[in-house]
Amino acid sequence: MSPRAGLTTEAVVDLALKIVDESSTEALTLAKVAERAGVAAPSLYKHVKSLADLRRLIDLRVVQEMADALRTAATGREGAAAISALADAYRAYLLRHPHRTNALATAPDESDAELSRATHAVAEVVFAVLRPFGFDHVQAVHATRCIRAAVHGFAGLEASGGFGRPEDVGQSFEVLKTMLVQGLTNYAEKP
């Protein structure tokens, strides 16, 4: 194999994400990425330090994509409409990319400034949507965690086929969004 002209770190991450999307995070190896890139595995070390580094770059990309998706969904909306749009965007992303859930499930190592900034960007979108509810910072953190747990949990279960009953899963998600908005409203009114 000869080095492929134009191979970049971004292209390596793109190829790795295709492997993850087709199989799983566990199926990702540098050898598979090199094969897809049409290069010898050692050539990848010009672009990534290791498999762990590649996984970190994947996490970074996924978190950045989620921040963009949520920001786009929330733009021009507020209150219940904004919460609903955030939930829909989060769910849609995980349904399109079910093998990316792990990248969104764990908090980054705080010593990783770049990944921490990206993760905080996701939270900032949610904080902005929650601002009209009048939450202080601590309440906004609690509310954000609850939204994330509910939507990530639902979408993760849905993507993995975890809902076996015949009732419409989309309708269940609408119920979840209604419960979230009602819960946030009640939480906002709490003395």
Side-chain angles (χ1 to χ4, degrees):
M1 292 183 167
S2 61
R4 192 170 104 190
L7 189 62
T8 63
T9 301
E10 187 169 319
V12 170
V13 173
D14 290 342
L15 292 169
L17 275 169
K18 286 180 183 172
I19 293 167
V20 168
D21 287 343
E22 291 167 5
S23 312
S24 68
T25 304
E26 295 76 28
L28 181 66
T29 66
L30 289 177
K32 287 181 183 177
V33 176
E35 183 180 332
R36 292 266 177 115
V39 300
S43 297
L44 293 180
Y45 292 109
K46 296 175 186 168
H47 307 288
V48 295
K49 297 173 194 162
S50 63
L51 182 58
D53 182 46
L54 180 57
R55 289 180 192 274
R56 181 205 160 270
L57 291 170
I58 288 170
D59 289 353
L60 179 62
R61 171 82 64 83
V62 169
V63 171
Q64 289 170 333
E65 286 178 359
M66 182 58 78
D68 290 343
L70 296 180
R71 195 175 299 107
T72 299
T75 299
R77 295 179 171 89
E78 78 174 48
I83 298 296
S84 181
L86 284 180
D88 288 337
Y90 199 108
R91 176 183 181 219
Y93 186 89
L94 287 186
L95 288 177
R96 275 192 317 277
H97 308 292
H99 298 295
R100 298 184 185 187
T101 57
N102 288 345
L104 298 166
T106 57
D109 179 348
E110 286 297 321
S111 67
D112 186 337
E114 187 178 27
L115 190 52
S116 290
R117 272 193 307 277
T119 302
H120 291 302
V122 172
E124 288 302 323
V125 173
V126 182
F127 290 165
V129 165
L130 292 173
R131 222 167 267 126
F133 286 89
F135 296 136
D136 63 26
H137 177 75
V138 172
Q139 289 173 313
V141 168
H142 294 317
T144 299
R145 286 175 177 164
C146 291
I147 292 168
R148 178 180 175 213
V151 176
H152 186 92
F154 189 102
L157 285 167
E158 181 179 14
S160 68
F163 297 124
R165 300 203 41 93
E167 290 79 11
D168 181 37
V169 175
Q171 185 60 42
S172 295
F173 194 70
E174 292 302 314
V175 171
L176 175 71
K177 292 190 303 184
T178 298
M179 294 171 99
L180 280 172
V181 170
Q182 288 175 350
L184 290 167
T185 302
N186 291 343
Y187 185 50
E189 294 169 356
K190 185 179 131 187

